[in-house]
Amino acid sequence: MDSYSGYINRLIAELSVLPGIGNKSAQRLAFHIINMPKESVERMANAMVDARNNIRYCKECLTLTDKEVCPVCQDKSRNHKQIMVVENSRDMSAYEKTHKYEGVYHVLHGAINPSMGIGPSDIKLTELLKRLQSDVDEVIIATNSNIEGETTAMYISRLIKPTGVRITRIASGVPVGGELEYIDEVTLSRALDARVEL
Ligand code: ZN
């Protein structure tokens, strides 16, 4: 490490704070960047600074956007009485790509994870409850089907039940092409519960 110049070490140190990037990957990226044309590096650096400076939370659903209200919340043709709760903006974008959902979203920016010290007050639940004070027909909980996602789903359902709003959970069924024997019981029983008539 010490054979590198200070600039390279600094670049490696900055890159290694990124998720999934260990020291080895950071070194590989650093040398790749150094060999890139100057203009490309500038464009990349500016994209990072511009995104960081201009992106904020949508006033309604809290997704990351560069406007006060995101395009989904602005869309009057969508059902604003149906709110799908997701863990992050990437999940929202994944559901948008299906073109199957016509309601709006609420982005929690995380999931309850006691072992990591992330409690209910660390995700955007207060904001969700506030939204339920207006006219809402249904809350669809679409958190992940891992332990954190299930814990969060259970917590939200208990929280919302007293308001009388209809609350549903997406079925996390058997993946297409998945072999039943390799699928865990929770997934399988969920798939059974959410079965449809043929
Ligand atoms: Zn929004």
Side-chain angles (χ1 to χ4, degrees):
M1 267 293 263
D2 288 329
S3 57
Y4 300 151
S5 82
Y7 286 115
I8 296 180
N9 280 334
R10 196 175 130 204
L11 181 56
I12 293 170
E14 291 296 340
L15 290 169
S16 56
V17 305
L18 295 171
I21 305 292
N23 190 266
K24 269 217 176 111
S25 307
Q27 289 188 43
R28 201 162 39 84
L29 289 173
F31 282 103
H32 180 83
I33 290 169
I34 289 161
N35 286 311
M36 279 164 63
K38 266 189 188 172
E39 313 79 69
S40 308
V41 177
E42 259 167 37
R43 215 169 39 233
M44 186 185 283
N46 288 337
M48 289 184 197
V49 173
D50 289 346
R52 181 62 188 86
N53 285 342
N54 296 301
I55 288 184
R56 48 179 148 174
Y57 291 149
C58 166
K59 217 173 76 182
E60 313 216 335
C61 71
L62 303 172
T63 193
L64 297 170
T65 177
D66 49 7
K67 307 211 170 60
E68 198 178 358
V69 176
C70 79
V72 172
C73 291
Q74 267 181 41
D75 189 343
K76 295 259 191 304
S77 71
R78 298 186 73 124
N79 181 0
H80 286 249
K81 293 180 177 184
Q82 191 179 43
I83 300 178
M84 182 191 280
V85 179
V86 291
E87 290 184 23
N88 54 52
S89 296
R90 297 188 305 281
D91 293 348
M92 170 171 167
S93 155
Y95 274 102
E96 276 305 277
K97 285 197 188 112
T98 67
H99 299 289
K100 287 269 156 63
Y101 179 63
E102 280 163 4
V104 292
Y105 297 86
H106 184 86
V107 183
L108 295 171
H109 292 284
I112 297 170
N113 187 347
S115 66
M116 295 284 282
I118 303 169
S121 59
D122 297 312
I123 57 176
K124 308 285 183 194
L125 282 175
T126 325
E127 291 83 350
L128 175 63
L129 283 183
K130 217 176 278 168
R131 290 180 75 184
L132 297 186
Q133 286 167 4
S134 60
D135 196 10
V136 174
D137 289 338
E138 182 183 2
V139 171
I140 303 165
I141 305 181
T143 51
N144 288 326
S145 56
N146 54 22
I147 292 176
E148 295 78 37
E150 292 297 340
T151 308
T152 308
M154 228 136 68
Y155 187 89
I156 296 175
S157 106
R158 275 202 301 255
L159 199 66
I160 294 179
K161 276 264 164 69
T163 65
V165 174
R166 181 179 182 216
I167 177 154
T168 56
R169 175 94 170 102
I170 52 157
S172 47
V174 179
V176 176
E179 293 182 51
L180 290 189
E181 60 173 322
Y182 297 118
I183 295 165
D184 65 277
E185 304 88 314
V186 181
T187 307
L188 282 182
S189 62
R190 257 291 177 66
L192 183 63
D193 288 343
R195 67 191 186 277
V196 292
E197 300 290 337
L198 288 177

